[in-house]
């Protein structure tokens, strides 16, 4: 008997109920649950902030696990927890609003906590190798004026790259972008189109 699907949802928007990415991410999860009603869902909301990595964190991370002090283990405790959440997930759903042409600083802090040499990636004689293989990621992308894939979109390409770097290469982006360039009715239509794209994506899976 196969194990239930495991979904990890990462939220980074500071806009609460007004957030487009939160609504899109919720739609992604809801559609996943329709296809796998016994799935487990873990939500990690990073919008309030995560600790930034610092010298102590880097020192602990590069110390052999068997030789880490109690203080170093405590320094890495949150990172270990975040890594285990990600390692356990079959599907990663990321709510990624665009702030000033890039991802939220809190989402970057999450990435810094989970991108760990010898844990989620390693360097080999053939180059870097991601260790979190066999997973799928769906990014719920929303922006006020930045077009998805445009020359000033430093969010979606970065997310694709860093996810691939740790081994997650099956990445899809569903977008409601350039929302402030649209009228009110067009904004609603753009959200509906993004939600329809989610439904088509998961129906085809």
């Amino acid at each position: 008997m196969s194990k239930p699907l495991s979904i990890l949802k990462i939220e980074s928007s500071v806009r609460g109920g007004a957030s487009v990415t939160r609504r899109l991410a919720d739609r992604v999860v809801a559609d996943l649950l329709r296809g796998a009603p016994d799935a487990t869902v873990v939500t990690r909301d990073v919008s309030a902030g995560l600790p930034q990595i610092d010298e102590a964190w880097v020192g602990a991370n590069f110390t052999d696990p068997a030789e880490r002090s109690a203080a170093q283990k405590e320094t890495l405790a949150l990172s270990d927890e975040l890594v285990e959440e990600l390692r356990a997930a079959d599907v990663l759903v990321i709510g990624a609003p665009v702030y000033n042409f890039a991802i939220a600083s809190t989402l970057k802090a999450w990435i810094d906590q989970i991108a760990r040499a010898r844990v989620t990636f390693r360097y080999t004689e053939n180059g870097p190798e991601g260790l979190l293989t066999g997973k799928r990621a769906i990014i719920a992308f929303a922006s006020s004026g930045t077009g998805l894939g445009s020359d000033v979109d430093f969010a979606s390409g970065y997310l694709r790259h860093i996810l691939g770097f740790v081994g997650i290469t099956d990445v899809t982006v569903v977008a409601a972008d350039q929302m402030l360039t649209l009228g009110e009715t067009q904004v609603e239509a753009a959200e509906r189109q993004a939600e329809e794209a989610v439904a088509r994506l998961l129906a085809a899976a």
Side-chain angles (χ1 to χ4, degrees), residues 98 101-102 141-157 173 175-181:
V98 176
F101 311 106
F141 176 103
S143 69
S144 298
T146 302
L148 175 67
S150 69
D151 289 343
V152 293
D153 169 16
F154 303 107
S156 65
V173 180
D177 57 341
Q178 298 180 296
M179 303 291 276
L180 284 187
T181 68

Side-chain angles (χ1 to χ4, degrees), residues 14-91:
V14 297
R15 299 190 64 219
S19 166
V20 174
T21 60
R22 286 178 184 269
R23 290 196 292 272
L24 279 179
D26 285 346
R27 175 60 189 266
V28 171
V29 171
D31 282 6
L32 286 167
L33 288 173
R34 287 190 190 96
D38 60 344
T40 60
V41 182
V42 172
T43 299
R44 174 68 68 166
D45 191 335
V46 303
S47 62
L50 291 174
Q52 299 291 320
I53 63 172
D54 56 15
E55 184 178 4
W57 189 98
V58 172
N61 187 46
F62 282 96
T63 298
D64 187 291
E67 298 178 0
R68 286 176 186 148
S69 66
Q72 287 177 318
K73 292 176 182 178
E74 179 61 26
T75 295
L76 293 176
L78 174 60
S79 176
D80 289 340
E81 182 179 345
L82 297 175
V83 168
E84 286 308 309
E85 286 179 349
L86 183 53
R87 186 176 281 140
D90 301 303
V91 182

Side-chain angles (χ1 to χ4, degrees), residues 126-201:
N126 297 316
E129 176 187 1
L131 302 177
L132 300 178
T133 57
K135 303 179 186 300
R136 180 185 190 188
I138 303 171
I139 300 169
F141 176 103
S143 69
S144 298
T146 302
L148 175 67
S150 69
D151 289 343
V152 293
D153 169 16
F154 303 107
S156 65
Y158 171 72
L159 286 172
R160 285 183 181 278
H161 177 79
I162 194 65
L163 290 172
F165 188 75
V166 297
I168 305 173
T169 56
D170 183 356
V171 180
T172 304
V173 180
V174 290
D177 57 341
Q178 298 180 296
M179 303 291 276
L180 284 187
T181 68
L182 306 174
E184 184 174 343
T185 57
Q186 291 175 299
V187 166
E188 294 174 358
E191 279 198 57
R192 285 196 301 272
Q193 288 174 1
E195 291 181 353
E196 289 166 3
V198 170
R200 289 193 300 272
L201 165 70

